[in-house]
Amino acid sequence: MNEPALDHAVACDHCGLPVPVALYEPDADQQFCCSGCRTVFEVIHAEGFEAYYALRDAAPQQRAEAVGRSFEELDDPAFRDQYCSPRPDGMLATELYLEGVHCSACLWLIEKSLAREPGVAEAKLNFARARLTLMWRPDQRPLSELAKRLASLGYAPHPARGGTEDAKRLEERRLFIRLGVAGAAAGNVMLMAFALYGGWFSGMDEAHRQFFRYMSLLVSIPAVVYSAGPFFRSAWTGLKAHILHMDLPISLGIMAGFAGGMMNTLRGTGEIYFDSVTALIFLLLVGRLLQLRQQRRASESSELLYALAPSSARRLDEDGVAHRVPLEALRVGDRVEVKAGERIPTDAVVAEGSSSVDMSLLSGESMPVAVRRDDQVWGGTNNLQDDLIVRVTHTIAASRVGKIADMVVEATHSRAPVVQLADRVAGYFVGVVLFVALLTFAAWSVIAPDAAIDHAIALLIVSCPCALGLATPLAITAAIGKAARRGILARSGAALETLGGLRSGKLFFDKTGTLTHGRMDVVTYQGPQWARPLIAAAERDSTHPVGRALRRAMAGDEPLDVQNVETVSGGGLRATVDGRRVVIGSPKFVADQALYDQALDELVQTWSKDALTPVWVAVDGRVYAAVALADRVRSEAKACIRSLEQRGFEVWILSGDHPEVAAAVGRQLDLPEDRCRGGLSPEDKLAYVQAADGPVVMVGDGVNDAAALAAATVGVAVHGGAETCFAAADVFLQRPGIATLTDLVQGARRTGRTIRNNIVFSLVYNVFGATLAVGGFLNPLLAAVLMPVSSLVVVTNSFRFRFSDRTESVVS
């Protein structure tokens, strides 16, 4: 049987490829080239991600815009001051981030192409980071010309922000080298120690014994002199500042152990402790590396916040001509053009035009805000509808985004009261250990002078805080792995440890995107069925959240002719659909243009009390339909809150949305009205966290939550949030919704119980070992043997517990 021939090529509605004749469906609205495209298309529309197609279709246009750009902002003096490093020979060096770098062929093409450009001395591309290091002579070739060359190849360049990142990577790389040296030394010394231990039982030739002892000394020297250098410097710095901290007994233990072992090696008799010393250095450096990575979080959060603003802006000159300039070149009073769909570069007021601006980045409001002349707009927010001309009121460093970035850094660097208390106790602990070690040495110098140094070293080893400090991270490491299998990613073990210790406190929820889905959906439709296709057709190309929600809910079965679409900022839209005049928008906007029944006013008041957004639809001058929209509460939210309250938390809602909306969501979740706060700015949320009397858990998903997440005792970012939010939080819930939040709390408490058991065991070990050392019953070798045995007990205890009661499932 012959397949029917098509009189024209039909493209797949998902991928755009031709639809085979066998899969063509004459009566269907959408056509697909395969079942896979059909499934993906249905999933995208079911989840409300139709904007994917607009972004996909806009990509070629964006590439064309990049090719046509002048990149004149790269020649601006402000760019040179901020991003370029001068060389003695007159050259300049800079780093650029390149879009579209995918493979090694890209690397070859970029480097070879730039090498042929006059004035270019060096062009090296870091493939993994898509960063181009460029060195050139500006008098022979301006950077804008080189940027246009890159754009013509399809690699649009941008300034590489985060200048401190390389310094941090260099510091981490140096620490890795120290760790590698210590690990190699510890491994080899341990092998020789095993040989020496074996010689005790089966005998060993004296020449071989001396060879292993001297070789252990030589291999240990790099670990002690180089790898342990940070501990020695830190201890010396503390002594000069008259401060006793943990690095002092560590340094004394390392030096005493090494010195005692070296003396015994040279004398040819006595114990050597090089295996204990090198292993101790290696384990301490592992802890130091984890600490360094934790400290990098604050600066990463700051850089991500600044990245929310565009790297350049269209500054207008006195004649009204727009010129691209780097963001850092903007000054207070400059006039800047912001086109529809672009982000506002920095804080400003509207000088000309009107539009709708998506403020959710900072406020958390799910509805865009209408702005007009003299209204304030914030850097990093998105201009949705019409072109604006704004007047700069703050530079990027002084902007609201910049201030929030500073808050995140300050909050992340600030130390919790329990940590501050631990620091103070550490000073006394160090003093007591040193005093007891000195008394032990003095007492045994009288009783048995030859054994005095051994007993003092043994006391320093068993009393070293490393035994206690290294036990807890083992339980944390096990808990992090168990949590990851449940879709809970902890950025630091301290977060699980801290959360596990909480038996009460306040738990603040952001509303939009956390307790709710974070998007507008149609809740109620009252009107004739024949109006639904008209609504869907009129909103076909709308980027407004209300328009997208109406399009999803009212999708028609047949295409309609749409003409004369007019969008009114803050009101709605007008369009002609199949020859009928359709007006959709707020009740006030539609009532000014159409007749309506008075009963609709009562309906609007009822919906408003329930924090629903009312929309009217008029056709040919009469209102025929009313629609209620809302950001729906997640189905698991109520049960999750009940569970958290049963575990001792006082649950609050902190929202940037209107107070009535926050209160309505609170009523659905059975929360008291005085614990549902709306209309809050990021600064307000931070103030609530800082003013709380006791521990605070903050759960959020947006940039407006970043400072509060960083300042909270524990910050939890939920799936689907902003990248900056993840950087500021301690824990990330990888699965959609907040159901795994109860797993997190239960698992953290079980982790805390395991940690407490480990701590009790470690303390008993330290006290018992110190008593034996002071009494002369413990030599350094036995102390070195007890250290790994105690850790092995802690490891076994750490890995045997179950994170939560729900069945585990692996998250890919």
Side-chain angles (χ1 to χ4, degrees), residues 386-400:
D386 300 311
D387 296 354
L388 292 173
I389 294 177
V390 300
R391 185 174 66 256
V392 175
T393 57
H394 295 87
T395 62
I396 184 60
S399 68
R400 199 171 177 190

Side-chain angles (χ1 to χ4, degrees), residues 143-164:
L143 184 57
S144 58
E145 294 296 323
L146 300 176
K148 283 193 282 188
R149 175 60 175 157
L150 288 169
S152 69
L153 297 173
Y155 308 102
H158 303 277
R161 289 179 171 169
T164 60

Side-chain angles (χ1 to χ4, degrees), residues 139 143 153 180 182 234 287 320 408 426 429 467 650 683 693 722 766:
D139 54 343
L143 184 57
L153 297 173
S234 177
V408 170
F429 176 83
E650 183 181 292
E683 296 84 352
D693 51 349
N766 274 306

Side-chain angles (χ1 to χ4, degrees), residues 724-742:
T724 305
C725 172
F726 304 156
D730 302 296
V731 182
F732 168 48
L733 304 184
Q734 195 176 10
R735 295 172 179 168
I738 57 174
T740 50
L741 185 61
T742 54

Side-chain angles (χ1 to χ4, degrees), residues 648-672:
F649 289 103
E650 183 181 292
V651 178
W652 289 57
I653 294 177
L654 302 182
S655 175
D657 235 334
H658 193 279
E660 292 184 1
V661 177
V665 172
R667 286 193 294 271
Q668 295 182 54
L669 299 173
D670 295 335
L671 289 176

Side-chain angles (χ1 to χ4, degrees), residues 673-729:
E673 191 168 345
D674 62 343
R675 284 199 253 139
C676 303
R677 303 299 171 87
L680 301 181
S681 66
E683 296 84 352
D684 295 332
K685 291 185 179 182
L686 176 62
Y688 268 93
V689 170
Q690 293 175 334
D693 51 349
V696 174
V697 178
M698 178 71 197
V699 185
D701 77 323
V703 175
N704 58 316
D705 304 315
L709 286 167
T713 310
V714 178
V716 181
V718 301
H719 176 85
E723 188 177 0
T724 305
C725 172
F726 304 156

Side-chain angles (χ1 to χ4, degrees), residues 797-810:
N797 187 52
S798 299
F799 281 89
R800 70 177 181 82
F801 81 98
R802 186 171 180 177
F803 195 78
S804 74
D805 293 332
R806 292 202 309 169
T807 304
E808 295 186 14
S809 60
V810 177

